Amino acid sequence: MALRLVQVNFKARDDAALGRFWADALGWGVSSEGPGVTNVEPVGFDWPDPTALCIDVVAVPDPETVKYRAHLDLATTSAAHKDELVARLLELGATHADIGQGDVPWTVLADPEGNVFCVLEPREIYRDTGPIATVVVNCTDPRAMARFWSEATDWTLHEVDDDHARLRSASGVGPYLELLRTEGPETVWNRVHLDVKPYAGDDLEAEVERLRALGASDADVGQGDDVSWRVLADVEGNEFCVLAPDKAGVSG
């Protein structure tokens, strides 16, 4: 048994507006599975597929009460591409953000609802990831987090030390998941968390039990009892969702 990391989930006041921002930012399309939910994914994408992590924007009554430790880093291919992307994002409604980064080669921005993200300078490691280079999760112990996430999912651990860990789909495609050591309490508002999904035909409850054995715990974010997914927290308390698997022979 294993889980696939399939999407990042944004909480928002206005899911349609924030979804449109991210679709325009990434050059992707939008759809909706129902009121209050906007799905952002590459045009023609057959979800789920490791070549991309999609974005699911969900409207919540009070997003100010939600604070996660994940954010997106966007890839660029040249200095000119980076400058052009930053300028376009600002036109779309992003703003510059100061999180104490100092003089760094990347640019820190916030989306229209205040979620911080980074536009990276060109890096060889991200040349084939697509527009999202990596999903970064801040943590206090990258080794422990890497152990959990590499065992929880079918993603491969590429490197790990006391300050940083990097995982990627076992297929060697798409963006990375990076676990970055940070000190002290979080000072940045981000309403982004991870969603994972069992393979078709696998058992949701069996996967949840396996995650608990790895150190995950149950989490209550007000989801109620009538939802098809399960909300858990990883070994550092970061909430994530386990989505219901598709029936065998049916793609999601």
Side-chain angles (χ1 to χ4, degrees):
M1 293 189 295
L3 293 164
R4 295 168 287 179
L5 182 54
V6 293
Q7 65 188 21
V8 291
N9 184 296
F10 281 68
K11 304 302 183 189
R13 298 180 188 86
D14 186 336
D15 63 284
L18 190 61
R20 174 50 60 190
F21 168 84
W22 279 105
D24 291 343
L26 302 173
W28 291 0
V30 295
S31 61
S32 177
E33 62 194 66
V37 180
T38 298
N39 311 111
V40 182
E41 59 187 32
V43 176
F45 187 73
D46 187 15
W47 186 88
D49 187 297
T51 56
L53 290 180
C54 298
I55 293 175
D56 204 36
V57 186
V58 179
V60 295
D62 185 9
E64 291 296 338
T65 65
V66 180
K67 187 176 182 181
Y68 298 122
R69 291 189 287 175
H71 72 266
L72 300 183
D73 283 354
L74 305 188
T76 60
T77 57
S78 67
H81 178 213
K82 177 177 177 290
D83 290 343
E84 292 167 0
L85 179 57
V86 168
R88 184 162 63 85
L89 291 166
L90 293 172
E91 290 179 357
L92 291 172
T95 54
H96 285 284
D98 185 352
I99 57 173
Q101 67 268 23
D103 185 15
V104 293
W106 58 89
T107 300
V108 183
L109 300 175
D111 72 18
E113 292 219 5
N115 302 296
V116 170
F117 65 99
C118 297
V119 180
L120 302 179
E121 76 284 3
R123 301 185 191 182
E124 180 64 20
I125 192 171
Y126 303 132
R127 61 183 171 79
D128 63 348
T129 60
I132 299 176
T134 183
V135 181
V136 179
V137 179
N138 293 338
C139 60
T140 59
D141 187 346
R143 290 187 185 276
M145 285 280 281
R147 185 163 51 250
F148 172 83
W149 281 104
S150 63
E151 293 179 0
T153 69
D154 61 357
W155 281 37
T156 301
L157 182 60
H158 284 259
E159 59 184 274
V160 61
D161 57 33
D162 289 342
D163 295 316
H164 176 261
R166 179 181 284 124
L167 299 90
R168 197 183 196 190
S169 163
S171 301
V173 296
Y176 289 85
L177 172 65
E178 302 194 29
L179 310 167
L180 182 64
R181 183 172 180 265
T182 55
E183 297 288 350
E186 290 294 311
T187 58
V188 176
W189 282 102
N190 279 316
R191 305 170 188 92
V192 182
H193 73 258
L194 304 176
D195 285 348
V196 296
K197 184 179 179 73
Y199 280 88
D202 284 352
D203 184 74
L204 174 62
E205 296 307 327
E207 283 294 337
V208 169
E209 284 302 317
R210 187 176 67 86
L211 291 167
R212 290 180 181 133
L214 293 174
S217 56
D218 295 309
D220 185 351
V221 294
Q223 69 270 19
D225 298 325
D226 59 346
V227 296
S228 61
W229 61 90
R230 301 292 181 268
V231 184
L232 299 176
D234 67 19
V235 291
E236 289 209 2
N238 300 295
E239 290 148 353
F240 65 97
C241 293
V242 186
L243 306 181
D246 302 309
K247 295 180 181 180
V250 179
S251 61

